[in-house]
């Protein structure tokens, strides 16, 4: 028997890509999944950081989807190449710092490289015309095909009926009549199809698949770039933006204050890379200081930090400032009143 | 048959899975890989990754703040 055609499915962890993969698998195509980690993905780690969310079972939705479908999943680290996408998107940003259209083309392009390296025939995505204002519109569908280089090797099974025939259809690997005709923002057709397939407990992310669609997160990212005078970033930088309260009382430094135990544990791992403040006389969260604080700045930072510890109403609180070499010095401060912490300091 | 180690401490999911996946590519059937990480999410993700890719999980344990997972490449 002839080997079945092979497709790689972009698996985000959401329902649409899960359904798209299933529709194609049902046509006898061998499907494997690919998932790209940009550093901004909502998946997994945030649950690990924030303790109160850990009541929900921790799972990586892309892995979960692959397991439900019974397909392999390849997770690809694209942190480095993704920087160019985020920093210089040809098509600009969506409502926040999300460069969705460039991002989609980039991911499909990476998937194309993968198909070429692994002898696969085509790529499929869960895109639906009209689903997302920036990247999933009738006029952006051909843009992604063109800019990714995938051309007609890119199949969108959920809205394929509305799109020109692709290579897999012309080759007879895919029966066009069995493709779907979903459009618009309604989720009803997807939910109905999921029920038909018996998929339960799938993830329903609000907004997009990554933190760049989040307003608060985007603000913190822009603030970081402004403060540094450069848009360079490392994985640690963008991870830290997901954690804690960020308070910038002066342009050249900010405090990162853990909000609960899970975040404090996470911040603990960064002690050696940051000047930090530790409560001595009272219990209180670990506070990292991003920037180059001088002695006055440290005093101010300690007054703010004390506000978040159990000594907030005490006349005097002791904290230790620890520099990157591990040298400590003791600070005695009067905790700042809640009203003295300016609202605009919160990033 | 070889026994390899992977230090994935301080990496957050899915990075430990990605590192394990890339390491497994260099190994042969019957080799074992011991992964040490600090993100408890790996306790769920690495076994899930093994199940879908057909590798065997020999051990998972959590000691203090660390997670230790030993897998056998199939
Ligand atoms: S939401 Fe994020 S990951 Fe998803 S397409 Fe937009 S930029 Fe890319």
């Amino acid at each position: 028997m002839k080997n079945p055609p092979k497709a790689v499915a972009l698996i985000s962890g959401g329902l649409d890509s899960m359904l798209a993969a299933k529709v194609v698998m049902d046509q006898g195509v061998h499907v494997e999944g690919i998932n790209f980690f940009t550093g901004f993905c909502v998946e997994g780690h945030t649950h690990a950081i924030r303790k109160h969310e850990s009541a929900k079972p921790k799972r990586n939705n892309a892995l979960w989807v692959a397991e439900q479908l019974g397909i392999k999943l390849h997770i690809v680290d694209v942190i480095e190449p993704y920087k160019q996408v985020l920093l210089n998107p040809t098509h600009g940003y969506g409502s926040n710092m999300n460069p969705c259209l460039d991002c989609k083309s980039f991911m499909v392009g990476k998937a194309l490289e993968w198909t070429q390296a692994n002898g696969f025939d085509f790529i499929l995505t869960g895109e639906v015309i009209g689903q997302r204002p920036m990247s999933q519109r009738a006029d952006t569908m051909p843009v992604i095909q063109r800019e990714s280089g995938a051309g007609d090797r890119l199949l969108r099974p959920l809205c394929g009926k509305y799109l020109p025939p692709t290579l897999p259809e012309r080759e007879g690997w895919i029966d066009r009549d069995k493709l779907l005709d979903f459009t618009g923002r309604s989720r009803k057709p997807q939910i109905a199809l999921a029920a038909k397939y018996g998929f339960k407990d799938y993830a329903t992310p609000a907004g997009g698949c990554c933190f760049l669609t989040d307003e608060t997160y985007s603000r913190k990212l822009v603030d970081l770039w402004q403060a540094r005078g450069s848009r360079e970033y490392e994985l640690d930088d963008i991870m830290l933006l997901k954690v804690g309260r960020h308070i910038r009382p002066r342009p050249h430094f900010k405090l990162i204050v853990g909000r609960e135990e899970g975040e404090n544990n996470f911040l603990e791992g960064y002690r050696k890379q940051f000047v930090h403040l530790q409560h001595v006389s009272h219990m209180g969260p670990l506070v990292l200081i991003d920037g180059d604080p001088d002695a006055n700045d440290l005093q101010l930072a300690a007054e703010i930090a004390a506000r978040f510890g159990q000594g907030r109403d005490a006349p005097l609180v002791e904290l230790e400032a620890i520099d990157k070499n591990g040298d400590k010095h003791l600070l005695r401060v009067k905790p700042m009143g809640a009203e003295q912490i300016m609202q605009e300091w919160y990033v | 048959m070889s026994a390899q180690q992977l230090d994935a401490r301080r990496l957050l999911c899915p990075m430990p899975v990605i590192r394990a996946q890339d390491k497994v590519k260099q190994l042969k059937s019957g080799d074992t890989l011991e992964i040490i990480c600090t993100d408890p999410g790996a306790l769920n993700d690495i076994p899930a990754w093994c199940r879908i890719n057909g590798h065997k999980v020999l051990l998972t344990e959590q000691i203090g703040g660390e997670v230790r997972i030993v897998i056998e490449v199939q």
Side-chain angles (χ1 to χ4, degrees):
Chain A
M1 206 179 89
K2 198 178 155 298
N3 287 338
K6 292 182 178 177
V8 68
L10 264 74
I11 297 291
S12 65
L15 179 59
D16 291 8
S17 49
M18 184 181 192
L19 293 171
K22 179 72 177 155
V23 166
V24 169
M25 288 166 74
D26 278 358
Q27 295 211 26
V29 174
H30 172 86
V31 176
E32 295 188 14
I34 196 163
N35 173 263
F36 296 103
F37 182 60
T38 62
F40 296 98
C41 308
V42 181
E43 272 315 309
H45 45 251
T46 37
H47 303 297
I49 301 169
R50 297 214 62 189
K51 202 150 192 167
H52 68 88
E53 285 173 31
S54 62
K56 284 186 259 163
K58 294 185 196 100
R59 77 175 189 203
N60 175 304
N61 284 308
L63 285 168
W64 180 84
V65 163
E67 194 170 6
Q68 299 302 304
L69 294 171
I71 62 173
K72 287 193 174 176
L73 180 74
H74 310 276
I75 309 180
V76 185
D77 165 4
V78 291
I79 298 166
E80 277 304 316
Y82 191 75
K83 289 179 179 174
Q84 276 316 309
V85 181
L86 172 59
L87 297 179
N88 301 304
T90 323
H91 301 282
Y93 301 99
S95 44
N96 292 297
M97 288 304 290
N98 47 314
C100 290
L101 186 47
D102 289 81
C103 175
K104 270 272 144 63
S105 299
F106 167 78
M107 288 187 181
V108 173
K110 284 279 166 204
L112 178 69
E113 283 171 22
W114 190 93
T115 59
Q116 290 159 346
N118 292 278
F120 275 54
D121 303 299
F122 67 100
I123 301 157
L124 70 98
T125 69
E127 290 164 285
V128 169
I129 298 171
Q131 177 89 220
R132 296 223 188 267
M134 184 173 194
S135 58
Q136 299 190 27
R137 298 190 319 248
D139 59 328
T140 61
M141 297 273 157
V143 174
I144 296 170
Q145 281 181 297
R146 192 174 62 238
E147 294 188 356
S148 65
D152 66 357
R153 286 186 187 266
L154 175 58
L155 178 73
R156 285 96 163 202
L158 300 187
C159 58
K161 281 225 167 95
Y162 290 122
L163 296 170
T166 56
L167 177 85
E169 294 158 77
R170 287 202 312 274
E171 289 287 330
W173 303 330
I174 288 288
D175 177 356
R176 185 170 172 90
D177 291 341
K178 292 187 184 146
L179 296 179
L180 300 167
D181 55 359
F182 296 176
T183 53
R185 301 189 68 113
S186 164
R187 304 288 302 155
K188 283 198 188 122
Q190 282 92 324
I191 292 167
L193 186 60
K196 188 186 130 197
Y197 283 137
F199 296 156
K200 291 192 193 89
D201 203 24
Y202 44 82
T204 47
C209 22
C210 84
F211 270 100
L212 296 170
T213 59
D214 183 81
E215 193 188 331
T216 314
Y217 186 87
S218 294
R219 202 169 56 229
K220 287 182 187 165
L221 182 63
V222 172
D223 166 80
L224 179 87
W225 288 340
Q226 274 170 354
R228 293 198 182 158
S230 143
R231 304 208 301 161
E232 300 287 304
Y233 65 84
E234 295 305 326
L235 181 61
D236 280 341
D237 297 324
I238 60 181
M239 286 300 193
L240 279 167
L241 297 182
K242 299 174 186 173
V243 184
R245 291 185 180 85
H246 290 235
I247 303 168
R248 186 178 293 288
R250 298 286 179 268
H252 59 285
F253 74 95
K254 73 170 173 181
L255 289 74
I256 306 174
V257 187
R259 285 173 291 197
E260 37 77 60
E261 198 191 327
E263 290 194 339
N264 284 332
N265 289 342
F266 175 75
L267 295 177
E268 283 286 334
Y270 288 91
R271 270 174 185 279
K272 293 204 177 87
Q273 288 154 261
F274 288 86
V275 176
H276 55 279
L277 296 170
Q278 196 167 285
H279 278 74
V280 176
S281 58
H282 297 75
M283 298 284 281
L286 174 70
V287 176
L288 303 184
I289 301 181
D290 183 26
D292 279 313
D294 64 17
N296 287 333
D297 297 333
L298 279 179
Q299 192 73 20
L300 173 64
E303 289 168 18
I304 298 170
R307 178 74 222 158
F308 297 96
Q310 288 181 4
R312 64 178 66 86
D313 299 317
L316 212 60
V317 169
E318 288 180 345
L319 296 102
E320 245 170 13
I322 302 154
D323 66 21
K324 290 178 197 166
N325 301 319
D327 295 334
K328 301 174 177 180
H329 86 260
L330 194 69
L331 298 164
R332 288 194 184 82
V333 296
K334 181 177 178 319
M336 206 174 253
E339 67 297 338
Q340 289 170 284
I341 302 183
M342 302 290 164
Q343 207 46 50
E344 58 269 24
W345 291 356
Y346 284 93
V347 185
Chain B
M1 255 175 267
S2 75
Q4 302 273 323
Q5 276 203 335
L6 176 69
D7 181 356
R9 288 183 184 92
R10 286 203 48 230
L11 296 178
L12 294 177
C13 285
M15 286 310 290
V17 188
I18 296 177
R19 292 282 161 81
Q21 167 193 272
D22 294 347
K23 188 90 191 173
V24 163
K25 274 192 203 137
Q26 306 159 11
L27 301 180
K28 289 196 267 315
S29 175
D31 289 351
T32 59
L33 179 65
E34 176 184 7
I35 307 144
I36 312 277
C37 28
T38 42
D39 182 351
L43 273 176
N44 186 62
D45 291 358
I46 291 179
W49 180 81
C50 287
R51 285 195 299 278
I52 60 181
N53 290 286
H55 305 298
K56 202 156 137 195
V57 180
L58 301 179
L59 173 127
T60 59
E61 63 181 3
Q62 207 166 0
I63 319 161
E66 293 194 346
V67 170
R68 185 168 155 247
I69 301 169
V70 183
I71 68 179
E72 186 186 308
V73 179
Q74 298 294 304

